[in-house]
Amino acid sequence: MSGTPNPYRHQYETVAASQTQQVLGGTGATGDFLHRIVVNVTTTATSAFSIIDGSTTILSVANSVLANGQYNYEFNIASQNGAWKVTTGAGVSVIGIGAFTQ
């Protein structure tokens, strides 16, 4: 709606398959807010992915845990250790949604 304030102003960033610690946002930083990730699994055998807060792994999902399809993971947390980073296997892509440092 035009003229309606939006206190959230979430952004999104896509993370393609086979990426290693891709930063969400231009530079990312401590305090960045991760609202949700949308995971798209296309090949179960290579569907591993992880969500990292600076250097701390917050979520790690192994190959073959998820069947082909789309999955949503809610976080609603601020980074404590640096930029949010996403690592994806060859059979999975991710969309990160939140407020990230550009």
Side-chain angles (χ1 to χ4, degrees), residues 2-99:
S2 179
T4 302
N6 181 353
Y8 303 107
R9 301 205 189 281
H10 291 324
Q11 306 153 322
Y12 73 89
E13 183 162 339
T14 59
V15 181
S18 300
Q19 300 302 304
T20 302
Q21 295 196 5
Q22 178 177 322
V23 172
L24 296 180
T27 59
T30 298
D32 283 2
F33 184 76
L34 180 60
H35 170 59
R36 170 189 301 189
I37 62 168
V38 179
V39 178
N40 296 297
V41 176
T42 55
T43 307
T44 302
T46 57
S47 61
F49 69 93
S50 62
I51 305 299
I52 302 160
D53 173 1
S55 60
T56 303
T57 300
I58 300 300
L59 173 67
S60 181
V61 176
N63 288 327
S64 303
V65 171
L66 303 173
N68 289 2
Q70 188 176 74
Y71 302 88
N72 288 289
Y73 290 83
E74 292 282 333
F75 290 93
N76 292 317
I77 54 178
S79 169
Q80 298 296 305
N81 301 307
W84 289 108
K85 301 173 190 169
V86 180
T87 296
T88 55
V92 64
S93 61
V94 168
I95 301 170
I97 302 164

